[in-house]
Amino acid sequence: MLDRFYLPLLALGAAAAIALAMVWPQGLGDRSPAPFGHTPVQQTPEMQAAMRRETEAAQRRVDQAREAVRNIQNQAIAPAQQ
């Protein structure tokens, strides 16, 4: 391929990649620079409260399941006592 064709095409591709990186939607990580970014959804107070509630509910379900297994095991070990 001729350098006269390839190198300008490569420079255009690089410029397009840089432009795309500046306006592409950000992920759930840190905030992008000022004119392009916005506060990630997971960093908003409402979402953090919802995630905290979900974590606490999941922990309660795990504790209930462990307690149920413990009760079943206790009944299997000593059925006459209960």
Side-chain angles (χ1 to χ4, degrees):
M1 185 177 275
L2 296 175
D3 287 346
R4 287 183 183 178
F5 178 70
Y6 177 70
L7 292 178
L9 187 63
L10 187 62
L12 181 63
I18 291 170
L20 182 64
M22 291 175 64
V23 297
W24 189 259
Q26 66 189 32
L28 297 175
D30 290 334
R31 187 178 193 281
S32 293
F36 305 110
H38 64 289
T39 302
V41 173
Q42 289 184 336
Q43 291 183 2
T44 60
E46 299 85 16
M47 184 58 76
Q48 287 182 346
M51 291 188 316
R52 192 176 313 109
R53 284 191 307 268
E54 185 177 331
T55 301
E56 291 168 355
Q59 187 61 44
R60 280 193 304 273
R61 287 191 302 270
V62 168
D63 292 341
Q64 289 173 351
R66 286 181 181 157
E67 186 64 30
V69 169
R70 202 173 295 124
N71 290 339
I72 292 170
Q73 288 175 342
N74 288 340
Q75 290 175 2
I77 292 172
Q81 294 178 356
Q82 297 184 0

